[in-house]
Amino acid sequence: MRLGAIRAYMLKEFIDLKRSKMIYLVYLLPIMILILFGYGIRLEVTHARTIVIDQDNSKLSIDLAHAFMHSKYFDTKILPITPDEALASMKRAKTDIIIIIPPSFEKNLLKGLKSEIGVFIDASFPLRGRVMQGYVQGVLLNKASEYLPPQKIPLILINQRLLFNQAMRDENAIVPGLIALALLVAPAILAALLIVKEKEYGTIFNFYASPLSKAEFLIAKLTPPFVLHSVNIFIAFFIATYIFDVPFRGSFALFWVASELYVAVAVGIGLLVSIITRTQIAATVLAMLITIIPSFLYSGMLMPISAMEGGSYIEAHLFPVMYYSYILYDTFLIGQGLQSSTIILYLSILALYGTGLILIGSKLLKKELS
Amino acid sequence: MLEVKNLTVRYGKKIAIKNATFNAHNKEIVGLIGADGAGKSSTLHAIAGVQRFEGEVVFNGYAYHSPAEAEPLKSQIALMPQGLGLVLYPDLSVKEHFEFFKRIRGVKDDPAYEERLLKMAGLYKFQDRLAKNLSGGMKQKLSLICTLLHRPKLLILDEPTTGVDPLSRRELWEILDETRHAQDIVILYSTAYMQEAQQMDKILLFDEGEIIAQGKAEELLKSAEPYTYEETSCDECFCFDKRCYSLKPLPVPHAKPTLEALFFINALKKGKKETRFQIKPKKVQTPPIIVEAKGLTKRFGDFVADDHIDLTLHAGEILGLLGANGAGKTTFIKMLLGLYPIDEGELWLLGKKIESYEDRIELKNYIGYMSQNFALYKDMTIKENMEYFGKLHELPSKTIAQKIEELSQGLGFAEYLDEFPTSLPMGINQRFSLATAILHEPVVLFLDEPTSGVDTIARAGFWKLLHELKRKWRISILITTHYMSEAEYCDRVVVLKEGKKIVDDTPQHLHELYPGLSFEEIFINFYKETK
Amino acid sequence: MRAFWTILLKELTLFMRSVGLVVAVLFFFLVDVYIVGNDIEIEPKNVSVGYVDYSNGGVLSKKILSHLHAPEFKKPIPFQSHEALSKAIFDKKIVVGLIFDPDFQKRYDAGGATQLNVLLDSTAATQSLLTLNYLQNIVLGFSSPKFPIELKIHKLFNQNSDTKKFMPLAELLSIMTLFGVILSASVFVKEKEQGTWDIMLLTPVDSRIIIFAKTTSQVLILFFLTMLSTGIDLFGIFDLPLNGSFAAYALMTLVFLYSIAGIGLFVAAVSNTIMEVAQWSVFLMMPIIFLSGAWTPIYSMNIYLQYLAYLSPLRYYIEGVESILFRGTPVEDLWLYFAGMTVIGAFLFMVGYRKIGKLF
């Protein structure tokens, strides 16, 4: 191992990255992923366009309608139109919710008679429909129970305790998963490009024809993406906690160590990609293909791993994303840290994964034309 | 001493070089010549230990049979692969390259030696310049001195001078000569320029994956003498560069052969025949002056690609636009065609002043253009390519079919009509690209480097074809090339150097000015004057 | 006109001959749409439930647990203590924990309010919100016969709020956008790379026709793929409804693809290599998709983003397609979507033509 040679090669990589402006890509891509997706994926619905048709016009019905006016979830208009007109407006995608309070609503309620409130929800975006349904039910039932006659009805009240994400913020649920996405995609692409670029331009001959050993070459090639993306660990942490206000309850040291191991895994994936591709474009596409979809699926960001079955349960365990994002969600939202044996196990799996990939990669790398 | 024994390189089923055997002694420069794809690069890669091979290579007593076995020798070997500045990093400066190569090879600092190398290459003053801002010649000189930094015992150079201006080519050669006198070194050197090959200590002639002849230049030339005659008309022979080559005796005196003779004689021995081109005569009316450019200038940022160039192309004239890679030839043609905007200067095409896009539209049918690398669709057969462009030139289908038939017969590629360009030799692609460019019978042809990468025989044929076109159609041709020797076939030549015009003259007049010199040497004089 | 057909036919032939590309697009339009539609589930499904029953096997707790069944829930798992349950939630083995207090049944029988304790792992915010919703509905069911207000909820256009009907559509739209930009940019940039574009410009064909023909070829390929995916994946496998006119859907798809091809043309004008096309496409793609309203409703966005959203052709298309497939909007109410996409497309074509379609 000749340190001088490695240092010179690495220095060249840094100068090259800086002068070819690729360094911007190193930092722009993860930041863009975090910011865009972080702001972009909102499962919560606010300002749903709501029409209330009050056919009763009683104190109670007006009160009920007003309950919708003072909520960030609804943009409510009380309109004197027919249900058909309201439905036509919904068909033109101008309205999301229609609430119809029937005539003699107040009278019936006071008499203790049953009355029926009609609710129409545009469920073309199904999730949005579900969420809006929940909001509407909550508001109506709460408001209505205030007016209930004081008679005995056996009720089961739900005493909910939300763990980890009390405010049920989308940011808390999604941003840690996005970190797992960003820190996999970007280092993998960069590591792959650094090697494939030399293949495509022909400068790879400098390695082939020199006494530089494979190990020296790999250290020189893989250290820059590793080091540069280590900075992204801190940037991601900053974006999550300051910009998206995600709480951080665990140990920063654990977060940091796990992230470094994960970046090493990503770099290892990049190395494998660079071995089977010849052009930069192919390397980029392949690196993206094998990192983005698994990250979305198995980070737990959209679906808990415990809810998976069969094939996808096994696949989730094959990709590194699941192990890292488990530690991520723990350090951000839960905070068990090293007391949990699962975390120790997953940490070691990440370490093994990284070493394994780089070992396989160095076995497959050839110091000759192929 | 280098001994190569039965060296064979395969790519899957394809054999790139078969049973190559040769020796090279200390302080010798061994030249490898032959067409593209003849096996030169594969041989060099195998010896450099970057390509798997069968057979044995012995260098100074150490034998190796694979890249892994060659590993201990790598500190003594240097390889400069084919391609301008291929081993350089565009965003690194000259000095940074020096540092990089010194460190990865673990060479101790030797300021005196480094300074000497830089001065030899004329780069001493440009140490802070980035590689991407160097001219083609400077790039190659930098690559060469970078490979010399660790004082290799075996230097392997794969076409180091292709596309480089003649003066840089000479300087590169001088560096090599100086190096081999100063130290023990074996140099393997492949080249497409026969003038260079002539200076080597030994020549290996490659053809279709085999070494078909080797020896000193004089020996090889001598072997060609019996078949070389003065120019005449003959059957079953090749004629090129004022000489004819024939296996049967010809009733004219023998001539002194050049190394090119070896290719022609080899072709004759393999039973190949010269393609006879047949082009139907045609009458055309054209203005006396086809292209008139005054002070054409093109800038890319701070870089001036073409600096106030005047040029006139007369009707029925073949005008050669010569210069090294990066001298501004392609940019100039693109300005003439309207593919780049003109930053400064005036232009008349076919007697019409060009001031806007509209001025060019009606001229399109009179212009033929063949771009660098014979740009045609790789996923379409030759016939489909020609049909496509025929239709775009608004020719009736019947005419197109007729023309394809006529041109493919006349230009000698009829048997390849249903093949894809990628599976054909460069020489065939070159001719069919030309056929595509003249489908609509233009009055003026712009050809951008039609002969680069094409072997000698195909190049000879191509020039014949151009003269035939000129004779039968009175077509005017503007052609660019970096082979200075091709000036011979032009009616007039313009030489560009770093965006400036340094020569505009007829070959005859140039020969009168510099009697006894080759064009290569004449242009070196001009280059030196403008330095 | 002959030139138009010649170019169109040539581009279609070249596409068919690039086997790798054909396989790739078929994979994305058919298989990937299927995978995403089938695998990505945002709704609660298979949610793991644990419980501790301190009420000693009361009937009520059993009744409630029996409502937690597939497909939404896995079979509830009993735990010995509150602590054990908590630990399982911390270890992410359980998402929902129910704790029945000792007097749970007693208080209910007494005709008063009783309390069900729910522990929720809300790291998956949506699932937990929806799960809570489910639970609320279940327990409401117990008291509702006597509750005086009944909510009659009609979820229009997609009655079961089935994400299986939405995810594949959303994925198809993203893929159409990505490939729309890449394919239509590549037909130009490939020619730039190989140098054939110069030769095309020098033929006597009007370059507007060349550009339009090349673009149309890719639009047709994408249109065919979209229809294939619509037929096999959307209607065939995922059983999407078609409440409006199919002709309107097809026409809107065509207009959308042209407007996306306009973006492709712009990308082609600013890139010289396929690598640059890829970079530009990704950088343009993300905003286009996020501003489309597919993930966040446009009315929920920041006001400036709402203005910016007018520039995303996908926004018009996605709303238009939802309207046609789900809402069954009459054709005459769709003109705004057509207008939006046409304006954007026409503008981009003009810019692209000016940048690459002219000789100087």
Side-chain angles (χ1 to χ4, degrees):
Chain A
M1 199 68 50
R2 295 168 309 142
L3 289 176
I6 296 174
R7 208 172 45 222
Y9 215 122
M10 262 172 2
L11 184 70
K12 183 226 93 184
E13 295 298 338
F14 282 116
I15 296 176
D16 205 25
L17 278 169
K18 198 177 118 219
R19 297 211 183 124
S20 67
K21 312 224 157 52
M22 199 140 82
I23 193 84
Y24 296 121
L25 196 75
V26 171
Y27 294 106
L28 213 61
L29 187 64
I31 292 175
M32 225 174 104
I33 290 178
L34 284 172
I35 302 268
L36 269 177
F37 285 81
Y39 278 116
I41 305 182
R42 276 284 178 284
L43 302 166
E44 153 185 290
V45 182
T46 56
H47 306 287
R49 296 157 303 176
T50 309
I51 292 180
V52 177
I53 302 177
D54 185 357
Q55 294 171 335
D56 187 31
N57 255 324
S58 62
K59 184 180 165 301
L60 191 54
S61 69
I62 292 169
D63 224 34
L64 197 59
H66 276 265
F68 286 93
M69 307 282 263
H70 305 290
S71 160
K72 70 162 177 174
Y73 297 113
F74 307 100
D75 266 0
T76 312
K77 289 189 191 122
I78 303 174
L79 293 177
I81 54 174
T82 66
D84 281 346
E85 283 166 334
L87 279 173
S89 155
M90 185 176 275
K91 273 200 172 178
R92 287 197 305 273
K94 298 277 176 230
T95 303
D96 304 297
I97 302 172
I98 303 169
I99 295 167
I100 302 173
I101 306 176
S104 27
F105 170 72
E106 189 184 50
K107 223 162 56 196
N108 287 344
L109 198 63
L110 292 177
K111 277 187 198 155
L113 291 173
K114 239 186 159 80
S115 60
E116 199 175 78
I117 295 179
V119 177
F120 294 83
I121 291 169
D122 180 349
S124 317
F125 292 82
L127 191 68
R128 222 174 273 172
R130 271 273 166 82
V131 172
M132 289 191 288
Q133 179 190 355
Y135 294 160
V136 172
Q137 276 177 333
V139 172
L140 284 178
L141 292 176
N142 263 337
K143 202 72 199 165
S145 40
E146 285 176 24
Y147 297 99
L148 282 186
Q151 67 192 101
K152 279 197 173 174
I153 299 172
L155 266 182
I156 305 172
L157 299 177
I158 288 188
N159 168 33
Q160 69 217 42
R161 234 193 97 202
L162 299 173
L163 300 168
F164 319 134
N165 182 11
Q166 282 78 357
M168 283 231 189
R169 298 176 65 233
D170 279 333
E171 291 92 325
N172 297 2
I174 283 169
V175 172
L178 290 177
I179 296 181
L181 171 70
L183 289 184
L184 190 69
V185 180
I189 293 180
L190 183 65
L193 281 184
L194 284 189
I195 299 177
V196 172
K197 199 174 160 191
E198 298 225 25
K199 278 202 206 171
E200 196 175 338
Y201 292 167
T203 43
I204 193 79
F205 276 106
N206 292 337
F207 161 53
Y208 290 160
S210 75
L212 211 63
S213 73
K214 274 200 320 192
E216 288 164 344
F217 176 75
L218 279 180
I219 295 173
K221 277 289 173 189
L222 300 183
T223 311
F226 180 76
V227 170
L228 291 174
H229 278 286
S230 295
V231 178
N232 275 327
I233 297 173
F234 297 92
I235 295 181
F237 178 78
F238 175 83
I239 292 179
T241 50
Y242 284 88
I243 298 188
F244 290 112
D245 269 326
V246 181
F248 190 82
R249 303 197 172 104
S251 117
F252 187 80
L254 172 63
F255 164 74
W256 183 64
V257 171
S259 303
E260 294 287 7
L261 289 176
Y262 186 64
V263 171
V265 171
V267 166
I269 293 177
L271 169 63
L272 290 188
V273 167
S274 76
I275 286 167
I276 50 175
T277 52
R278 281 159 197 271
T279 60
Q280 296 187 66
I281 174 83
T284 313
V285 171
L286 187 65
M288 280 169 70
L289 215 66
I290 60 178
T291 51
I292 290 185
I293 292 182
S295 301
F296 263 110
L297 289 179
Y298 306 128
S299 63
M301 160 168 56
L302 297 175
M303 183 182 187
I305 307 290
S306 66
M308 292 181 179
E309 286 178 312
S312 46
Y313 185 79
I314 295 166
E315 275 167 47
H317 284 74
L318 289 179
F319 284 96
V321 189
M322 185 199 95
Y323 304 104
Y324 177 58
S325 68
Y326 183 92
I327 300 174
L328 268 183
Y329 278 102
D330 184 79
T331 48
F332 273 99
L333 301 177
I334 305 173
Q336 293 188 95
L338 293 175
Q339 285 164 352
S340 151
S341 54
T342 320
I343 290 205
I344 295 171
L345 175 68
Y346 282 7
L347 211 54
S348 11
I349 290 177
L350 280 180
L352 277 176
Y353 213 113
T355 350
L357 283 178
I358 292 175
L359 280 180
I360 294 171
S362 55
K363 267 269 165 286
L364 293 177
L365 182 80
K366 289 271 176 303
K367 200 187 165 184
E368 61 185 55
L369 286 168
S370 48
Chain B
M1 163 147 172
L2 174 77
E3 293 160 86
V4 177
K5 297 173 192 165
N6 289 322
L7 181 124
T8 300
V9 174
R10 292 171 208 273
Y11 299 104
K13 275 188 191 153
K14 211 176 143 259
I15 294 179
I17 180 77
K18 197 173 148 195
N19 290 332
T21 303
F22 64 92
N23 296 331
H25 293 93
N26 202 8
K27 294 192 192 282
E28 255 183 7
I29 299 182
V30 175
L32 289 77
I33 58 175
D36 253 34
K40 303 189 303 278
S41 292
S42 301
T43 308
L44 294 177
H45 288 161
I47 297 171
V50 301
Q51 168 77 56
R52 210 171 299 181
F53 61 93
E54 295 154 34
E56 187 179 59
V57 181
V58 185
F59 183 64
N60 288 343
Y62 179 86
Y64 53 96
H65 309 86
S66 68
E69 284 179 20
E71 204 62 15
L73 273 186
K74 289 214 171 147
S75 55
Q76 299 177 32
I77 300 180
L79 166 68
M80 189 171 148
Q82 190 178 353
L84 264 187
L86 197 76
V87 293
L88 303 181
Y89 300 94
D91 285 310
L92 253 55
S93 69
V94 171
K95 202 196 269 165
E96 284 160 348
H97 273 99
F98 250 54
E99 280 304 306
F100 174 68
F101 282 103
K102 240 163 43 186
R103 295 287 165 258
I104 65 166
R105 288 191 166 270
V107 180
K108 293 225 167 57
D109 287 332
D110 183 351
Y113 181 57
E114 285 162 33
E115 196 182 313
R116 209 184 88 210
L117 285 177
L118 283 168
K119 283 192 171 151
M120 263 196 313
L123 288 167
Y124 192 69
K125 277 182 279 177
F126 304 109
Q127 291 186 51
D128 290 322
R129 193 177 284 192
L130 299 187
K132 66 179 171 196
N133 299 330
L134 295 174
S135 72
M138 285 163 120
K139 276 183 191 156
Q140 289 305 80
K141 279 183 278 181
L142 175 60
S143 309
L144 179 61
I145 59 173
C146 282
T147 59
L148 291 177
L149 263 173
H150 64 286
R151 298 171 192 268
K153 301 255 181 297
L154 175 58
L155 180 59
I156 299 168
L157 308 170
D158 195 359
E159 298 208 8
T161 48
T162 298
V164 173
D165 65 80
L167 190 60
S168 300
R169 230 146 60 198
R170 175 161 292 191
E171 286 165 352
L172 214 100
W173 186 265
E174 281 161 6
I175 297 176
L176 286 181
D177 218 30
E178 217 182 306
T179 311
R180 70 164 157 166
H181 285 116
Q183 64 189 75
D184 286 343
I185 192 166
V186 173
I187 301 173
L188 303 182
Y189 187 123
S190 75
T191 183
Y193 300 98
M194 293 308 132
Q195 298 87 342
E196 277 182 359
Q198 210 120 15
Q199 296 170 273
M200 316 233 181
D201 301 309
K202 188 184 206 176
I203 293 167
L204 309 174
L205 183 63
F206 284 70
D207 187 49
E208 295 178 349
E210 280 179 272
I211 297 180
I212 52 165
Q214 49 180 305
K216 287 192 192 315
E218 308 88 74
E219 294 166 14
L220 291 172
L221 287 176
K222 211 172 180 107
S223 73
E225 258 169 34
Y227 310 111
T228 311
Y229 299 88
E230 280 178 5
E231 192 160 32
T232 179
S233 63
C234 49
D235 296 323
E236 293 178 46
C237 70
F238 283 102
C239 291
F240 183 62
D241 198 7
K242 295 177 191 149
R243 296 170 184 87
C244 284
Y245 309 97
S246 169
L247 296 179
K248 290 180 195 159
L250 292 181
V252 283
H254 283 286
K256 230 179 128 45
T258 58
L259 279 173
E260 270 110 357
L262 299 172
F263 295 112
F264 293 104
I265 294 165
N266 178 50
L268 286 170
K269 284 183 177 160
K270 288 200 169 166
K272 286 181 189 157
K273 288 200 185 104
E274 186 171 26
T275 321
R276 304 266 164 207
F277 304 114
Q278 282 137 15
I279 287 163
K280 280 190 190 162
K282 171 181 81 132
K283 279 220 172 85
V284 279
Q285 290 286 312
T286 50
I289 291 182
I290 305 291
V291 178
E292 169 98 70
K294 282 190 182 152
L296 284 199
T297 300
K298 176 77 207 161
R299 299 186 188 88
F300 295 105
D302 289 339
F303 174 68
V304 186
D306 284 310
D307 193 356
H308 296 90
I309 291 174
D310 301 332
L311 180 138
T312 314
L313 174 65
H314 302 276
E317 183 182 39
I318 298 183
L319 175 58
L321 190 56
L322 277 61
N325 282 333
K329 304 181 305 269
T330 299
T331 310
F332 187 76
I333 283 204
K334 287 196 167 181
M335 272 198 289
L336 295 185
L337 290 168
L339 295 168
Y340 281 153
I342 298 169
D343 289 341
E344 221 179 282
E346 290 175 312
L347 174 68
W348 287 263
L349 286 180
L350 296 155
K352 182 173 181 152
K353 182 150 198 229
I354 304 297
E355 279 170 324
S356 72
Y357 167 60
E358 281 72 26
D359 295 333
R360 293 187 180 272
I361 295 177
E362 52 190 292
L363 295 179
K364 279 181 175 179
N365 264 330
Y366 300 102
I367 292 176
Y369 171 53
M370 177 174 156
S371 75
Q372 238 166 353
N373 317 324
F374 324 132
L376 292 156
Y377 299 102
K378 296 183 175 63
D379 290 330
M380 284 176 9
T381 64
I382 290 189
K383 194 173 175 188
E384 287 169 333
N385 261 300
M386 292 183 76
E387 278 171 348
Y388 178 65
F389 284 105
K391 282 180 187 159
L392 293 191
H393 275 289
E394 289 154 358
L395 303 175
S397 302
K398 224 170 133 190
T399 318
I400 294 174
Q402 211 178 322
K403 286 244 145 208
I404 292 177
E405 168 79 21
E406 183 189 314
L407 285 170
S408 63
Q409 295 287 346
L411 271 60
F413 57 87
E415 70 250 55
Y416 302 114
L417 274 181
D418 290 319
E419 305 226 19
F420 290 95
T422 37
S423 64
L424 295 174
M426 292 284 258
I428 303 293
N429 278 330
Q430 176 204 36
R431 271 183 263 155
F432 116 78
S433 305
L434 181 71
T436 311
I438 58 173
L439 263 181
H440 60 294
E441 305 193 346
V443 300
V444 55
L445 256 181
F446 294 89
L447 308 175
D448 195 2
E449 301 233 350
T451 54
S452 58
V454 174
D455 62 82
T456 312
I457 297 177
R459 265 167 56 202
F462 190 74
W463 277 105
K464 264 209 179 119
L465 177 58
L466 293 187
H467 279 274
E468 190 71 13
L469 271 175
K470 177 190 151 184
R471 209 160 53 89
K472 296 275 176 60
W473 288 8
R474 228 176 100 72
I475 199 168
S476 319
I477 299 173
L478 179 65
I479 176 169
T480 73
T481 172
H482 60 247
Y483 290 103
M484 299 296 158
S485 53
E486 289 183 354
E488 206 75 60
Y489 310 101
C490 304
D491 297 322
R492 199 154 52 86
V493 291
V494 167
V495 180
L496 297 185
K497 185 200 168 195
E498 286 161 27
K500 292 200 178 66
K501 185 165 95 171
I502 59 168
V503 180
D504 186 344
D505 214 332
T506 60
Q508 291 79 4
H509 188 240
L510 287 169
H511 272 311
E512 284 165 23
L513 281 178
Y514 299 91
L517 292 186
S518 71
F519 275 110
E520 186 91 17
E521 289 157 335
I522 294 171
F523 294 131
I524 287 176
N525 280 322
F526 280 103
Y527 266 82
K528 277 187 178 153
E529 277 165 31
T530 56
K531 199 171 185 178
Chain C
M1 221 35 214
R2 180 154 161 264
F4 178 85
W5 290 114
T6 308
I7 298 172
L8 183 72
L9 214 68
K10 174 219 134 201
E11 291 300 340
L12 293 178
T13 317
L14 285 190
F15 175 78
M16 292 308 289
R17 284 189 189 163
S18 36
V19 180
L21 189 61
V22 174
V23 172
V25 290
L26 283 177
F27 172 82
F28 278 100
F29 276 84
L30 296 178
V31 183
D32 180 73
V33 167
Y34 171 76
I35 293 177
V36 168
N38 206 42
D39 284 5
I40 293 195
E41 195 79 56
I42 305 182
E43 287 187 61
K45 200 189 150 201
N46 281 327
V47 173
S48 50
V49 184
Y51 68 93
V52 186
D53 194 351
Y54 291 117
S55 68
N56 288 321
V59 190
L60 188 58
S61 57
K62 287 224 175 62
K63 248 167 114 181
I64 289 177
L65 288 173
S66 74
H67 276 83
L68 303 173
H69 50 65
E72 288 87 1
F73 298 96
K74 285 188 183 164
K75 194 173 162 19
I77 301 165
F79 281 85
Q80 287 311 311
S81 67
H82 189 149
E83 288 72 34
L85 181 60
S86 280
K87 182 164 185 324
I89 295 178
F90 272 82
D91 283 347
K92 299 243 169 198
K93 299 222 159 54
I94 296 289
V95 174
V96 183
L98 303 177
I99 297 167
F100 300 100
D101 289 337
D103 56 354
F104 179 69
Q105 173 99 42
K106 231 190 297 174
R107 283 169 66 179
Y108 182 80
D109 291 341
T114 187
Q115 184 173 298
L116 169 61
N117 300 302
V118 179
L119 292 174
L120 263 177
D121 169 4
S122 52
T123 46
T126 323
Q127 269 106 352
S128 20
L129 180 71
L130 296 176
T131 306
L132 208 56
N133 232 301
Y134 254 95
L135 283 170
Q136 229 142 19
N137 275 342
I138 290 169
V139 296
L140 199 66
F142 287 91
S143 10
S144 68
K146 296 195 181 140
F147 200 74
I149 299 177
E150 191 178 343
L151 287 181
K152 190 100 184 155
I153 293 186
H154 310 264
K155 270 185 285 185
L156 299 181
F157 317 131
N158 185 357
Q159 276 77 358
N160 306 317
S161 318
D162 190 350
T163 38
K164 282 224 158 71
K165 295 212 190 326
F166 175 71
M167 284 312 292
L169 179 65
E171 181 68 9
L172 175 62
L173 296 184
S174 301
I175 285 176
M176 283 166 73
T177 314
L178 183 63
F179 276 93
V181 175
I182 291 183
L183 286 186
S184 52
S186 301
V187 277
F188 294 101
V189 175
K190 254 197 322 227
E191 297 222 12
K192 271 181 158 185
E193 270 188 331
Q194 298 184 0
T196 41
W197 184 241
D198 290 346
I199 298 179
M200 290 298 290
L201 286 180
L202 290 170
T203 60
V205 182
D206 187 336
S207 48
R208 267 167 291 210
I209 292 180
I210 301 179
I211 290 176
F212 190 63
K214 286 176 82 72
T215 304
T216 302
S217 69
Q218 302 307 303
V219 166
L220 287 182
I221 290 167
L222 290 158
F223 181 74
F224 173 77
L225 287 164
T226 307
M227 288 302 134
L228 203 64
S229 183
T230 307
I232 296 178
D233 285 31
L234 298 190
F235 292 153
I237 298 174
F238 295 108
D239 207 17
L240 258 73
L242 175 66
N243 294 328
S245 133
F246 183 78
Y249 171 67
L251 186 64
M252 187 173 280
T253 303
L254 215 51
V255 175
F256 169 68
L257 289 172
Y258 269 110
S259 68
I260 285 297
I263 298 178
L265 186 62
F266 171 79
V267 169
V270 293
S271 352
N272 287 314
T273 62
I274 297 285
M275 186 70 197
E276 288 173 53
V277 170
Q279 282 168 353
W280 268 98
S281 309
V282 172
F283 275 97
L284 283 175
M285 264 292 292
M286 294 210 205
I288 290 174
I289 290 181
F290 284 120
L291 290 174
S292 68
W295 292 97
T296 307
I298 291 174
Y299 50 78
S300 296
M301 286 178 195
N302 173 302
I303 185 78
Y304 296 104
L305 289 184
Q306 290 194 30
Y307 289 129
L308 217 54
Y310 284 109
L311 298 179
S312 166
L314 185 57
R315 171 237 168 103
Y316 302 99
Y317 182 60
I318 207 164
E319 219 169 272
V321 166
E322 290 280 340
S323 293
I324 295 171
L325 294 185
F326 294 115
R327 298 189 189 99
T329 311
V331 179
E332 56 271 22
D333 287 330
L334 296 170
W335 68 271
L336 192 68
Y337 306 124
F338 284 107
M341 292 188 287
T342 311
V343 169
I344 293 172
F347 174 75
L348 287 168
F349 267 98
M350 226 162 64
V351 175
Y353 162 70
R354 274 168 184 276
K355 284 216 69 157
I356 62 166
K358 283 175 84 167
L359 291 178
F360 300 98

